[in-house]
């Protein structure tokens, strides 16, 4: 393995890990989507909002870091997806802007729209933010309608390498039932994690009791949707990059990836089991409140394994529906070796970032 191949794999691992952490931190969005599920008791609502307001910035920061890492390490993906499917990404961004505005003005006296409106904004972020992020992640497997022509870089008048071939610019992928299955799986997962977070973070009998009931419902929906998507994924075809740099279709591509790299299914199964353990033990044991940690680690491992499966073993992690040969792999879409080396040095700060997140979590409990 050459130096640049190692760095490409290293940065795909970093991005996959950040993706796992991001999905775990969506418990904030899940908690926001539950605000109207606890009735109209103003005291309970204030407790829920107060608890979430201390953690929401972690999710937003991780989302920005995830996007920044993609931009720096795989700029061709960034320009193709963010530049081509910009309608989808603008909707995601708008939902998170609503969240930031809501936490800024919700508790201020004399705010313009009133407390109920800002809580509605939080619910919108909790619903659309999670579903649309799930749709965006699903595109790593289902792909998009785009074309790549690197020779255009020499075109002085229009040096555009990638172009989106659908005039809806990302809105069309929302209508793909496969993407929606994962989108709503992420939605119900975030709600389940939100329940676990409330149980762990708020010492209130009524909140605890109601959150455990909601966990049973939302956790069940998540398991069904996730297993449905996983089954589709393992039975679907994918694109494999040849030694010549071209792509060919391969049946059961993602299943083959798991078989070819034995430690990947171990991580996947371990992650799923940890999520189920966190859910089931919390539901069955009334005084158990540590489920957020078991499920959280499980979510990170599960997403990590799935994103790794999407990109390793010469897999096109962003398949092109319009032109197979325009598909993106980690080898044909990465930055140069110098950029990857410099970024790898910077990545040594990641453990300190994680330590800061942990410190902030405990300090703002």
């Amino acid at each position: 393995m050459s130096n640049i191949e190692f760095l490409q794999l290293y940065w795909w691992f970093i991005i996959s890990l950040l993706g796992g952490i991001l999905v775990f931190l969506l418990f904030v969005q899940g908690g926001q989507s539950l605000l109207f599920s606890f009735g109209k008791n103003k005291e309970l609502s204030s407790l829920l909002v107060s608890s979430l307001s201390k953690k929401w910035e972690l999710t937003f920061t991780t989302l920005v870091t995830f996007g920044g890492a993609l931009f720096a390490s795989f700029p061709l993906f960034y320009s193709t997806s963010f530049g081509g499917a910009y309608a989808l990404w603008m909707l995601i961004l708008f939902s998170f802007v609503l969240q930031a505005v809501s936490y800024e003005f919700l508790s201020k006296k004399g705010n313009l729209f009133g407390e109920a409106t800002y809580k509605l904004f939080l619910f919108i972020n909790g619903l659309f933010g999670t579903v649309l992020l799930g749709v965006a992640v699903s595109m790593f497997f289902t792909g998009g309608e785009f074309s790549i022509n690197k020779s255009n870089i020499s075109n002085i008048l229009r040096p555009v390498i990638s172009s989106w071939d659908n005039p809806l610019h990302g809105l069309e992928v929302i209508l793909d039932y496969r993407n929606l299955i994962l989108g709503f799986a992420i939605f119900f997962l975030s709600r389940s994690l939100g329940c676990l977070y409330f149980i762990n973070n708020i010492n209130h009998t009524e909140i605890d009791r109601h959150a455990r009931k909601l966990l049973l419902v939302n956790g069940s929906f998540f398991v069904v949707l996730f297993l449905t998507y996983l089954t589709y994924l393992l039975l679907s075809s994918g694109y494999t990059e040849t030694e010549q740099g071209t792509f060919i279709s391969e049946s059961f591509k993602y299943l083959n990836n798991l078989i070819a790299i034995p430690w990947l299914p171990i991580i996947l199964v371990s992650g799923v089991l940890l999520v189920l353990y966190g859910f089931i033990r919390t539901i069955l044991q009334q005084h158990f409140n540590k489920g957020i940690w078991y499920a959280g680690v499980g979510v990170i491992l599960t997403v990590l394994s799935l994103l790794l499966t999407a990109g390793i073993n010469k897999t096109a992690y962003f398949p092109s529906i319009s032109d197979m040969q325009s598909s993106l792999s980690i080898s044909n879409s990465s930055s140069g070796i110098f950029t990857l080396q410099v970024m790898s040095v910077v990545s040594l700060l990641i453990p300190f970032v994680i330590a800061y997140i942990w410190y902030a979590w405990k300090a703002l409990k």
Side-chain angles (χ1 to χ4, degrees):
M1 180 184 296
S2 65
N3 190 25
I4 190 168
E5 289 175 329
F6 170 78
L7 290 172
Q8 288 167 343
L9 287 171
Y10 171 77
W11 273 101
W12 188 252
F13 172 81
I14 294 295
I15 287 169
S16 299
L17 179 60
L18 287 172
I21 295 173
L22 173 61
V23 174
F24 161 57
L25 291 175
L26 288 177
F27 74 82
V28 175
Q29 277 61 37
Q32 291 170 185
S33 73
L34 293 169
L35 290 178
F36 298 108
S37 301
F38 284 82
K40 297 182 179 180
N41 188 313
K42 193 166 184 178
E43 177 192 355
L44 296 186
S45 179
S46 297
L47 285 173
L48 299 176
V49 172
S50 176
S51 179
L52 293 171
S53 68
K54 299 172 183 177
K55 302 292 192 297
W56 75 270
E57 289 178 326
L58 298 179
T59 309
F60 193 85
T61 302
T62 305
L63 176 62
V64 173
T65 304
F66 177 75
L70 274 172
F71 170 73
S73 54
F74 300 99
L76 188 51
F77 167 80
Y78 189 91
S79 63
T80 302
S81 178
F82 289 75
Y86 59 79
L88 170 64
W89 288 107
M90 287 301 292
L91 286 176
I92 294 174
L93 177 61
F94 178 72
S95 76
F96 278 88
V97 169
L98 285 180
Q99 180 197 40
V101 169
S102 297
Y103 282 117
E104 177 67 23
F105 294 102
L106 177 63
S107 59
K108 289 186 175 180
K109 293 183 179 181
N111 59 59
L112 180 60
F113 298 111
E115 185 175 315
T117 301
Y118 289 115
K119 287 181 180 178
L120 177 61
F121 289 167
L122 291 177
F123 174 82
I124 291 173
N125 173 245
L127 171 59
F128 290 100
T130 54
V131 172
L132 293 179
L133 276 176
V135 167
V137 170
S138 182
M139 290 173 66
F140 282 120
F141 303 100
T142 59
E145 299 180 44
F146 63 90
S147 301
I148 302 291
N149 188 349
K150 294 185 178 181
S151 64
N152 282 346
I153 194 67
S154 60
N155 187 332
I156 299 177
L157 297 178
R158 196 172 183 271
V160 179
I161 295 177
S162 58
S163 60
W164 201 260
D165 299 329
N166 191 299
L168 295 178
H169 288 285
L171 294 181
E172 76 281 357
V173 302
I174 303 174
L175 303 178
D176 189 322
Y177 74 94
R178 300 168 300 175
N179 297 337
L180 284 175
I181 289 174
L182 184 61
F184 279 101
I186 298 297
F187 170 65
F188 286 110
L189 172 63
S190 69
R191 285 168 67 90
S192 301
L193 293 173
C195 291
L196 292 173
Y197 171 73
F198 289 147
I199 292 169
N200 175 261
N201 193 257
I202 303 175
N203 185 18
H204 193 284
T205 303
E206 187 174 347
I207 290 177
D208 184 275
R209 176 180 57 81
H210 196 55
R212 291 176 194 271
K213 291 181 180 179
L214 290 171
L215 174 61
L216 175 60
V217 175
N218 289 280
S220 299
F221 276 114
F222 161 69
V223 170
V224 171
L225 289 169
F226 176 74
L227 291 179
T228 300
Y229 190 83
L230 184 61
T231 301
Y232 147 74
L233 191 63
L234 296 180
L235 296 178
S236 64
S237 301
Y239 297 161
T240 300
E241 188 176 23
T242 66
E243 293 297 328
Q244 293 73 35
T246 60
F247 290 94
I248 58 174
S249 181
E250 179 180 336
S251 300
F252 307 107
K253 173 59 178 172
Y254 304 104
L255 176 60
N256 293 340
N257 284 356
L258 290 173
I259 295 173
I261 307 172
W263 51 267
L264 267 182
I266 294 176
I267 295 177
L268 175 61
V269 173
S270 298
V272 172
L273 290 178
L274 280 171
V275 172
L276 293 176
Y277 178 81
F279 287 2
I280 295 172
R281 188 174 176 186
T282 302
I283 293 169
L284 296 180
Q285 293 187 0
Q286 184 177 358
H287 300 292
F288 180 72
N289 67 350
K290 304 295 183 183
I292 183 66
W293 301 118
Y294 290 98
V297 173
V299 167
I300 293 172
L301 292 178
T302 301
V303 176
L304 171 66
S305 63
L306 290 177
L307 291 181
L308 286 175
T309 302
I312 63 174
N313 199 26
K314 298 185 179 298
T315 305
Y317 69 83
F318 196 26
S320 172
I321 301 172
S322 302
D323 174 23
M324 182 193 300
Q325 302 310 320
S326 292
S327 300
L328 300 183
S329 67
I330 62 175
S331 63
N332 72 5
S333 62
S334 74
S335 296
I337 187 169
F338 175 76
T339 301
L340 293 176
Q341 287 174 333
V342 172
M343 287 171 52
S344 297
V345 175
V346 176
S347 73
L348 298 177
L349 298 174
I350 289 178
F352 297 97
V353 175
I354 295 175
Y356 170 75
I357 292 174
W358 177 256
Y359 170 78
W361 183 292
K362 302 297 289 185
L364 297 175
K365 187 174 177 64

